[in-house]
Amino acid sequence: MSSRFHASPPAACADCRAGRRAIYGPTLETSPEKIAGLRRGTNVFPANKLLLREGEIASLCFTIYSGWACRYRQHGDGRRQILSFLLPGDTVMMECLFYPGLKLACSVKSLTSISVCAFSVTDMVALMRASPEQEEMFSASLHRGVTATNMRLFDLGRRSALGRIAQLILELEDRLQHRDMVKGGRFHFPARQTDIADATGLTVIHVNRLLKILRTKNIIEIDRKHITIKNSAALREIAEEE
Amino acid sequence: MSSRFHASPPAACADCRAGRRAIYGPTLETSPEKIAGLRRGTNVFPANKLLLREGEIASLCFTIYSGWACRYRQHGDGRRQILSFLLPGDTVMMECLFYPGLKLACSVKSLTSISVCAFSVTDMVALMRASPEQEEMFSASLHRGVTATNMRLFDLGRRSALGRIAQLILELEDRLQHRDMVKGGRFHFPARQTDIADATGLTVIHVNRLLKILRTKNIIEIDRKHITIKNSAALREIAEEE
DNA sequence: CGCCGGGTTGAGGGATCTCAAACCCAGTGG
DNA sequence: CCACTGGGTTTGAGATCCCTCAACCCGGCG
């Protein structure tokens, strides 16, 4: 992966855009030097790199500065289910902050090359309890995570293939919007069709056909790993009804 | 619902079988009177009763003493996805102990008539932090919950209909086994086929056919809301491979 | 140049759904 | 005691969605 595809975190945490969205955002606002002090360094991982394996016990946790990753479960025979996508500002394996020392219930892999900031789990656990603002931020983040997987369960169980894809695109748009990473309905969308398939429980081939349907109906446009939502209302309608 | 279908909790918490499996189990072992002091009373709810509605903020949490319930999400048009089944000893809405004051991400409904013990969320939150044993029990329970929904996501996304049903039966057997509620592969299974369908993301009709397949292959037997696993190896194989 | 990962397209089959109807059983009211 | 009712289960027939298998295309890379 050429390096122009990812930016590295700034040296000073105070200047970090992604950091403000991270779980330690409240602390970063008031005393950025504290975060800088805890940071164990920055890493760049190539695309498709296994960061954490299911069953491991994590001792480090990462904040993604740039790039995409995903959490997934994999069966012995190769079947894979992506549980969620991780975007800039997300904490890799936030759950392990709540039950440090327990085995991870899923693996994590980078989809693009990603740059991250590393923290020790114990430091981060302590930080989460250090102030009421942090406690609240932490529980709110966990709550968002639980809500998201609940919705994902509904998607997989009760939505048609097209509905799932529409829903996925809308969910990602929404999350990127909050990060100010959407310009006029257009945003970077580096997931391969295989990844979309593994997230939606479908076949690559079928995903391909469904994307084509959305394209020919002029609802979305895809070029070079970027997606543009051209008819948001129609996409929402599909997500709602199917 | 006639009352012979459910037993009420014993007056003394110290004698409570279900309590030992509850999240406050560690405290119950050492000082049962503390639990008895916190208990706000016992309730009996009829079958099919909505206990909590999505979006609400829970102020009470329940420990199920007898009967089954389920957590689910429902769409405007009636589509429903069951997120998990709640069995005796389970805490209804355990997550809300972690983020008290936030809106529930799912609804909860009784499947049978159930009897429960009620506690205030704030009391329970405090109790969870009162001792290292309780903290550990709490985080372990949360971890189990997260792991379970991760597995459920895999089920819905990557398993065939038959595989999902086999997996569901095995999961329930396993959980009931831990509660000593399985005798020779046979256990109470009050979920209707509609519930199984909503949990597995299938149609009632299809669930019916699949159960028939399992019955005619002599893998399970169903009579009057009880299920017997007659060929555990075969069931496991189906769950693994499909 | 050949190779490889990823995207695209076609043809055909199978798993699952929809619609429709009968059945069974428990409860209810006459 | 019986007829009626309603929720849940069972079965059949046919349609559809989605999958499998099999190619081919394209751009990047060694």
Side-chain angles (χ1 to χ4, degrees):
Chain A
M1 283 298 130
S2 64
S3 58
R4 71 197 156 93
F5 281 132
H6 61 259
S8 287
C13 290
D15 301 333
C16 184
R17 298 189 63 76
R20 267 176 264 151
R21 292 240 116 231
I23 41 171
Y24 49 73
T27 306
L28 189 63
E29 288 291 328
T30 59
S31 37
E33 72 288 353
K34 202 175 282 180
I35 302 299
L38 292 178
R39 187 169 73 168
R40 296 297 175 89
T42 69
N43 281 332
V44 174
F45 296 113
N48 229 29
K49 157 100 178 166
L50 186 63
L51 302 184
L52 295 162
R53 182 179 277 109
E54 184 189 331
E56 280 181 356
I57 294 168
S59 59
L60 286 180
C61 70
F62 303 111
T63 300
I64 297 183
Y65 178 74
S66 71
W68 286 31
C70 71
R71 301 163 53 232
Y72 66 95
R73 292 199 119 233
Q74 194 152 24
H75 200 73
D77 57 16
R79 276 177 293 177
R80 182 176 76 134
Q81 176 63 42
I82 291 184
L83 308 171
S84 69
F85 291 103
L86 299 169
L87 309 179
D90 284 346
T91 302
V92 177
M93 288 295 91
M94 180 172 49
E95 310 92 311
C96 75
L97 298 182
F98 190 69
Y99 36 83
L102 293 181
K103 292 178 176 177
L104 294 180
C106 62
S107 307
V108 178
K109 182 178 272 189
S110 60
L111 293 179
T112 65
S113 78
I114 60 177
S115 58
V116 303
C117 291
F119 300 86
S120 100
V121 167
T122 47
D123 285 349
M124 201 51 84
V125 169
L127 182 65
M128 288 303 117
R129 298 181 178 184
S131 74
E133 291 79 22
Q134 273 303 159
E135 292 213 340
E136 192 174 325
M137 178 67 174
F138 184 34
S139 55
S141 298
L142 259 181
H143 184 254
R144 263 199 301 274
V146 170
T147 306
T149 66
N150 285 357
M151 300 210 295
R152 188 57 62 87
L153 276 169
F154 183 93
D155 291 348
L156 293 182
R158 287 301 182 214
R159 274 199 228 281
S160 75
L162 200 56
R164 290 180 217 176
I165 294 201
Q167 186 67 24
L168 179 62
I169 294 173
L170 287 170
E171 182 204 315
L172 289 168
E173 188 215 11
D174 186 57
R175 290 171 62 194
L176 290 168
Q177 190 103 61
H178 284 114
R179 283 150 235 252
D180 204 22
M181 294 173 76
V182 181
K183 301 271 182 272
R186 183 165 188 270
F187 54 94
H188 188 212
F189 189 88
R192 293 161 301 171
Q193 294 185 353
T194 308
D195 301 319
I196 302 177
D198 284 344
T200 51
L202 301 168
T203 308
V204 206
I205 300 173
H206 199 52
V207 167
N208 182 295
R209 289 192 224 275
L210 296 169
L211 287 175
K212 182 181 179 180
I213 290 177
L214 293 178
R215 267 187 282 121
T216 57
K217 284 190 177 172
N218 216 26
I219 293 174
I220 62 171
E221 190 174 287
I222 299 179
D223 74 309
R224 321 180 82 271
K225 298 292 173 196
H226 287 257
I227 188 170
T228 312
I229 300 181
K230 304 186 71 178
N231 189 342
S232 179
L235 196 59
R236 246 168 262 280
E237 179 146 341
I238 291 172
E240 270 308 293
E241 320 229 317
E242 297 202 23
Chain B
M1 283 296 131
S2 66
S3 60
R4 70 196 158 94
F5 281 132
H6 62 259
S8 286
C13 291
D15 301 333
C16 182
R17 300 188 62 77
R20 266 177 262 151
R21 292 242 114 231
I23 41 170
Y24 48 72
T27 306
L28 189 63
E29 288 290 328
T30 58
S31 38
E33 73 287 354
K34 201 174 285 180
I35 302 299
L38 292 178
R39 188 168 72 168
R40 296 298 176 89
T42 68
N43 282 332
V44 174
F45 296 113
N48 229 29
K49 157 100 180 168
L50 185 63
L51 302 184
L52 295 162
R53 181 179 278 111
E54 186 189 330
E56 280 181 356
I57 295 167
S59 59
L60 286 179
C61 69
F62 302 112
T63 301
I64 296 183
Y65 178 75
S66 70
W68 286 30
C70 70
R71 300 165 51 234
Y72 67 94
R73 291 200 121 234
Q74 194 152 22
H75 201 73
D77 57 15
R79 280 178 292 178
R80 183 176 76 137
Q81 177 64 42
I82 291 184
L83 308 170
S84 70
F85 291 104
L86 299 169
L87 309 179
D90 285 345
T91 302
V92 177
M93 288 294 91
M94 181 172 49
E95 311 93 310
C96 75
L97 298 183
F98 189 68
Y99 36 82
L102 293 181
K103 292 179 177 177
L104 294 179
C106 62
S107 307
V108 178
K109 181 178 272 189
S110 59
L111 294 179
T112 65
S113 80
I114 61 177
S115 58
V116 303
C117 292
F119 300 87
S120 100
V121 166
T122 48
D123 285 349
M124 200 51 85
V125 168
L127 182 64
M128 289 302 117
R129 299 180 177 184
S131 75
E133 291 79 20
Q134 272 304 161
E135 291 214 341
E136 192 173 325
M137 178 66 173
F138 183 35
S139 54
S141 298
L142 258 182
H143 183 255
R144 264 200 300 276
V146 170
T147 307
T149 65
N150 285 355
M151 301 210 296
R152 187 58 60 86
L153 276 169
F154 183 93
D155 291 348
L156 292 183
R158 287 303 182 214
R159 277 177 151 89
S160 74
L162 200 56
R164 289 180 219 176
I165 292 201
Q167 185 67 25
L168 180 62
I169 295 173
L170 286 170
E171 182 205 315
L172 289 168
E173 186 214 13
D174 185 58
R175 290 172 62 193
L176 290 168
Q177 191 102 58
H178 283 114
R179 283 152 233 251
D180 204 23
M181 294 173 76
V182 181
K183 302 272 183 268
R186 183 165 188 273
F187 54 94
H188 187 211
F189 189 89
R192 293 160 302 170
Q193 295 185 354
T194 307
D195 301 320
I196 302 177
D198 284 342
T200 52
L202 301 169
T203 306
V204 207
I205 300 174
H206 200 50
V207 166
N208 182 292
R209 289 191 224 277
L210 296 168
L211 288 175
K212 181 180 181 183
I213 290 178
L214 293 178
R215 269 187 280 122
T216 56
K217 284 189 177 173
N218 216 26
I219 293 175
I220 63 170
E221 190 174 289
I222 299 179
D223 73 310
R224 322 182 80 271
K225 298 291 171 196
H226 287 256
I227 189 170
T228 312
I229 300 181
K230 304 186 71 178
N231 189 342
S232 178
L235 195 59
R236 246 168 261 282
E237 180 146 341
I238 290 171
E240 269 308 292
E241 320 229 317
E242 296 202 21

